[in-house]
Amino acid sequence: MWLSVGVFVAMPILAFTASVVSIKDIVDRERPEFETTLKETDFSAKSTLEPADLVRLGIEVKQDPTMGNKMEGDIATSVDEKPLSDAVRRSTRNAIRQTYRRWPNGEIPYTLSSQYGSYARSVIAKAIKEYHDKTCVRFVPRDPNRHADYVYIHPDDGCYSLVGRTGGRQPLSLDSGCIQVGTIVHELMHAVGFFHEQSRSDRDEYLDIVWSNVMKGADDQFEKYTNSVIDHLGEPYDFSSIMHYGPYAFSGNGKKTLQPKKGNAERMGQRVAFSEIDLRKINRLYQCPIRQIQVNGNSVIENQCRDENWRCPFWMLYDFCSDFEEIRFIVCRQSCGQCTTTFRPSKATKPQKKMFPLRRSIIGIHFDV
Ligand SMILES: [Zn+2]
């Protein structure tokens, strides 16, 4: 009996950890450089269920690749990266308050460098699919006849992006050390129009910046902006946002630079998946339509939270939800209990008890407009 269970469980473990990726499957700088777009085969590739060990391939991967050397780590200030005056720098930060910095109809044209290999293309596709599955933002292949403004994803130097639509061909860099789904989701969210979460005007209520531990010259990585610059979109401070710095961001001495004061900061700095608040904010910024269905006479938000692998119920039983963040927050959200429900009780019908078994299969994208 025990032997058969062991064999049964071992198969999914092997399937998750096996890796046959070579360094040229990530970035090959000897390839001629030109602009491409993702193909259906990139989206259907299974390689993201077998994450490559980038370090084993000799690639330098930072603890948090989004901690670069641009303004606020990974936010570029202009297309050509020339030093900017304070006034101009400030104007580049007004992304999400300025409607012209949003992408019309939530459609973000993109191209991709030909230097990415098949593995990198499939991981970038997986990150883009996260947006397509959970928001109404769409990354669409650039059509030169229609799209003057577009995002050019290429392996420049580290991971960085501009915030929102800046005009013309705007760079978004993902070098070899950035080819992880969560890191890419983070950079794409800058391009969608979001700053870092701890830049909010109310952040001092939630955390202390331990300035004595901050790396020399890195003070400006922790700027905060007023409400006139950043729109909170009616959402509370979110330590779990994929856009929040981790506790050791820009530390000069290995000690914490961010000290939470209140609230649940257990996942602060996670680079795994959108938080639910991240999703609500994106969907609100782009006025995504609410899709509702009726369940037992109650109006509920359509289910978009599901398992992506048939093995999820078994992985859940063997504690993989706790051991692997990717399983918990991306691959097996349903089995790992990450789906929540937003119910809008119908006037005609009282909520009934039997609706609760549905809790684990319905995500709460909910707008109070
Ligand atoms: Zn960032």
Side-chain angles (χ1 to χ4, degrees):
M1 172 65 184
W2 282 107
L3 179 65
S4 64
V5 170
V7 170
F8 186 66
V9 172
M11 285 174 58
I13 295 173
L14 287 173
F16 189 70
T17 54
S19 174
V20 289
V21 173
S22 79
I23 197 148
K24 293 207 168 192
D25 294 328
I26 301 176
V27 172
D28 182 356
R29 293 185 189 277
E30 289 173 10
R31 262 185 224 142
E33 154 70 10
F34 54 91
E35 295 181 21
T36 70
T37 55
L38 294 169
K39 307 293 176 227
E40 192 48 48
T41 48
D42 298 315
F43 285 94
S44 59
K46 300 291 182 206
S47 50
T48 50
L49 282 182
E50 303 163 10
D53 184 344
L54 300 180
V55 175
R56 187 183 63 78
L57 293 170
I59 295 169
E60 186 194 348
V61 182
K62 295 181 182 173
Q63 181 73 20
D64 178 359
T66 64
M67 296 286 106
N69 52 7
K70 308 279 182 210
M71 179 188 110
E72 281 195 20
D74 62 338
I75 297 179
T77 49
S78 73
V79 172
D80 56 9
E81 284 299 305
K82 285 177 190 158
L84 299 171
S85 70
D86 273 0
V88 175
R89 279 174 54 132
R90 259 192 290 280
S91 74
T92 65
R93 295 171 185 171
N94 294 342
I96 60 174
R97 278 282 183 203
Q98 299 165 315
T99 51
Y100 69 86
R101 296 283 290 270
R102 298 175 198 167
W103 296 88
N105 305 316
E107 194 178 270
I108 306 181
Y110 77 93
T111 60
L112 189 74
S113 168
S114 57
Q115 294 188 329
Y116 287 117
S118 58
Y119 177 76
R121 291 173 67 95
S122 71
V123 179
I124 294 168
K126 174 79 176 173
I128 283 178
K129 190 168 179 296
E130 286 290 295
Y131 284 86
H132 293 185
D133 284 351
K134 296 166 186 169
T135 77
C136 66
V137 168
R138 291 291 173 267
F139 288 89
V140 299
R142 182 209 178 204
D143 173 353
N145 297 318
R146 286 179 54 222
H147 303 129
D149 303 332
Y150 66 104
V151 174
Y152 172 49
I153 303 170
H154 66 302
D156 180 19
D157 178 18
C159 330
Y160 68 80
S161 174
L162 294 139
V163 175
R165 180 170 67 117
T166 57
R169 182 172 96 162
Q170 67 182 73
L172 187 153
S173 172
L174 301 171
D175 75 13
S176 304
C178 315
I179 303 302
Q180 304 171 95
V181 174
T183 300
I184 300 170
V185 167
H186 174 104
E187 296 304 337
L188 293 175
M189 198 160 157
H190 282 312
V192 167
F194 287 86
F195 291 90
H196 292 129
E197 183 70 4
Q198 79 286 338
S199 301
R200 283 170 55 128
S201 59
D202 58 352
R203 68 112 185 273
D204 293 335
E205 292 174 34
Y206 296 88
L207 52 76
D208 285 322
I209 311 283
V210 189
W211 293 106
S212 56
N213 294 340
V214 172
M215 193 185 292
K216 202 175 173 200
D219 292 10
D220 65 352
Q221 309 287 354
F222 296 91
E223 290 207 38
K224 61 176 182 177
Y225 311 125
T226 65
N227 266 328
S228 63
V229 177
I230 291 185
D231 185 349
H232 299 167
L233 295 159
E235 290 293 342
Y237 195 85
D238 182 16
F239 282 112
S240 298
S241 170
I242 202 164
M243 304 308 281
H244 203 297
Y245 278 180
Y248 297 93
F250 299 99
S251 175
N253 56 10
K255 295 181 181 169
K256 286 185 180 176
T257 52
L258 296 183
Q259 189 66 54
K261 285 155 81 167
K262 65 178 180 185
N264 181 4
E266 197 182 314
R267 300 191 63 220
M268 185 171 83
Q270 64 91 8
R271 292 289 178 270
V272 177
F274 293 118
S275 70
E276 289 211 13
I277 292 176
D278 287 335
L279 289 174
R280 285 207 296 263
K281 287 198 289 198
I282 295 169
N283 284 321
R284 187 166 291 156
L285 183 66
Y286 283 95
Q287 300 174 338
C288 298
I290 309 169
R291 291 190 295 183
Q292 297 186 18
I293 53 175
Q294 293 291 315
V295 177
N296 296 332
N298 295 290
S299 177
V300 302
I301 307 306
E302 189 179 46
N303 175 19
Q304 292 188 2
C305 187
R306 57 184 176 264
D307 289 343
E308 294 180 12
N309 190 299
W310 64 269
R311 301 179 182 93
C312 287
F314 304 106
W315 284 341
M316 183 271 288
L317 285 175
Y318 286 88
D319 267 351
F320 280 27
C321 295
S322 319
D323 295 344
F324 299 98
E325 284 202 317
E326 176 135 354
I327 286 188
R328 184 175 173 192
F329 293 111
I330 297 181
V331 183
C332 304
R333 297 182 70 207
Q334 186 176 357
S335 288
C336 294
Q338 294 303 307
C339 305
T340 58
T341 309
T342 298
F343 282 100
R344 290 182 174 169
S346 146
K347 282 178 186 167
T349 317
K350 277 187 170 178
Q352 293 171 19
K353 217 175 181 180
K354 60 183 176 183
M355 72 190 178
F356 288 106
L358 292 163
R359 282 182 73 85
R360 304 182 84 200
S361 62
I362 297 171
I363 192 169
I365 299 176
H366 177 209
F367 302 91
D368 293 306
V369 288

